């Protein structure tokens, strides 16, 4: 079974632009979560989706948004990019949104904002 | 808010030896899960071991075991017979029905041949 895939793997943008990152979960998984990883702040939760509904949202500004499609694929969008948005963005999928469900992580998208 | 603290930014261990990574957490909830994740240099995060708070028995997965002290809010990871492939960042994490995954800052483990 294929793992979680994220596209693109690397991205360079300039301040003020917007970006869309994509995540394809493991087949059969219906829950997708997104995390931002930076050297300073570590790993921080962005959002969690289950069956196209956002279940949880982390403490990030409204410039960060996401959605999930009927095939469980998910996208996150960051508008008006800032230098501080440079990070590794990780996506994780699980069978359901249950607390005890193991989350399987993708390789991440490395976003650099210049 | 729940917090997870890993007080050891870096650790090293000799191959075949045992190492313990520390983790403490703060919560007022009684039902939750604790996890250790490994992130090798390739960046793909993988689950090492998980512990349910209501289970007193410490979880074990092959060479990996935990020491879960609920009253002390402590959740340490012991790696026995360390191997070169164990070198990675290790993250302790907390999750509950009310709280999505909260990670500690991580411990970078080096394995010396």
């Amino acid at each position: 079974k294929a793992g979680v895939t994220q596209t693109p793997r690397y991205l360079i943008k300039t301040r003020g632009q917007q970006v869309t990152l994509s995540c394809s979960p493991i087949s059969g998984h219906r829950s997708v979560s997104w995390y931002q990883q930076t050297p300073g702040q570590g790993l921080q939760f962005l959002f969690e989706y289950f069956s196209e509904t956002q279940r949880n949202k982390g403490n990030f500004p409204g410039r960060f948004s996401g959605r999930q499609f009927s095939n469980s694929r998910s996208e996150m969008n960051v508008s008006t990019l800032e230098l501080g948005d440079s990070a590794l963005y990780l996506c994780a999928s699980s069978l359901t949104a249950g607390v005890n469900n193991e989350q399987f992580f993708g390789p991440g998208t490395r976003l650099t904002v210049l | 808010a729940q917090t997870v603290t890993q007080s050891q930014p870096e650790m090293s261990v000799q191959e075949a030896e045992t190492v313990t990574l520390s983790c403490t957490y703060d919560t007022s909830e009684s039902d939750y899960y604790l996890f250790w994740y490994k992130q090798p240099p390739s960046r793909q995060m993988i689950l090492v071991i998980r512990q349910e708070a209501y289970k007193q028995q410490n979880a074990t997965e092959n060479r990996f075991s935990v020491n879960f002290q609920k009253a002390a809010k402590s959740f340490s990871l012991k790696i026995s017979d360390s191997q070169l492939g164990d070198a990675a960042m290790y993250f302790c994490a907390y999750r509950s029905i009310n709280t999505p995954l909260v990670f500690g800052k991580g411990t970078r483990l080096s394995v010396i041949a």
Side-chain angles (χ1 to χ4, degrees), chain B residues 93-107:
Chain B
Y94 171 105
R95 184 169 183 181
S96 73
I97 194 166
N98 299 314
T99 306
L101 263 180
V102 175
F103 290 90
K105 294 288 190 185
T107 296

Side-chain angles (χ1 to χ4, degrees), chain A residues 4 9 35 37 40-43 45 48 55-56 88 90 97-103 105-107 110, chain B residues 32-33 35 37 39 42-47 50 52 91 95-105:
Chain A
V4 178
R9 292 292 310 279
Y35 301 87
Q37 185 174 21
Q41 298 298 317
L43 278 153
F45 169 77
E48 179 185 24
R55 283 175 45 87
N56 273 304
L88 181 68
L90 295 171
V99 175
N100 61 338
N101 272 217
E102 180 176 352
Q103 293 195 5
F105 284 79
R110 169 74 64 188
Chain B
Y32 49 86
Y33 287 77
F35 306 85
Y37 281 90
Q39 189 177 40
S42 67
R43 295 290 185 179
Q44 197 111 12
M45 188 99 69
I46 55 174
L47 178 66
R50 78 179 119 187
E52 300 169 59
F91 293 95
R95 184 169 183 181
S96 73
I97 194 166
N98 299 314
T99 306
L101 263 180
V102 175
F103 290 90
K105 294 288 190 185

Side-chain angles (χ1 to χ4, degrees), chain A residues 13-44:
Chain A
K13 293 285 187 179
T14 56
R15 279 181 298 174
Q17 287 188 308
Q18 76 164 21
V19 67
T20 299
L21 312 182
S22 181
C23 172
S24 292
I26 292 171
S27 178
H29 285 195
R30 293 167 61 198
S31 179
V32 171
S33 298
W34 288 90
Y35 301 87
Q36 181 196 64
Q37 185 174 21
T38 60
Q41 298 298 317
L43 278 153
Q44 294 185 284

Side-chain angles (χ1 to χ4, degrees), chain B residues 37-72:
Chain B
Y37 281 90
K38 171 185 177 182
Q39 189 177 40
S42 67
R43 295 290 185 179
Q44 197 111 12
M45 188 99 69
I46 55 174
L47 178 66
V48 174
I49 199 166
R50 78 179 119 187
Q51 175 79 40
E52 300 169 59
Y54 65 85
K55 286 189 177 178
Q56 291 188 330
Q57 187 173 5
N58 290 324
T60 299
E61 289 286 344
N62 301 313
R63 298 182 295 107
F64 298 87
S65 62
V66 299
N67 183 5
F68 173 49
Q69 302 289 328
K70 190 172 184 180

Side-chain angles (χ1 to χ4, degrees), chain A:
Chain A
K1 194 181 268 192
V4 178
T5 57
Q6 292 188 244
T7 56
R9 292 292 310 279
Y10 301 91
L11 207 48
I12 299 176
K13 293 285 187 179
T14 56
R15 279 181 298 174
Q17 287 188 308
Q18 76 164 21
V19 67
T20 299
L21 312 182
S22 181
C23 172
S24 292
I26 292 171
S27 178
H29 285 195
R30 293 167 61 198
S31 179
V32 171
S33 298
W34 288 90
Y35 301 87
Q36 181 196 64
Q37 185 174 21
T38 60
Q41 298 298 317
L43 278 153
Q44 294 185 284
F45 169 77
L46 279 158
F47 346 86
E48 179 185 24
Y49 289 89
F50 177 69
S51 293
E52 301 178 68
T53 300
Q54 186 179 89
R55 283 175 45 87
N56 273 304
K57 188 177 193 302
N59 189 25
F60 279 82
R63 301 185 296 106
F64 291 80
S65 62
R67 58 178 176 169
Q68 186 181 33
F69 302 95
S70 58
N71 61 358
S72 295
R73 190 177 70 84
S74 177
E75 287 181 350
M76 67 163 282
N77 183 277
V78 188
S79 62
T80 320
L81 283 166
E82 300 177 359
L83 295 179
D85 297 332
S86 294
L88 181 68
Y89 290 88
L90 295 171
C91 163
S93 77
S94 58
L95 274 172
T96 71
V99 175
N100 61 338
N101 272 217
E102 180 176 352
Q103 293 195 5
F104 293 83
F105 284 79
T109 293
R110 169 74 64 188
L111 171 66
T112 302
V113 182
L114 302 176

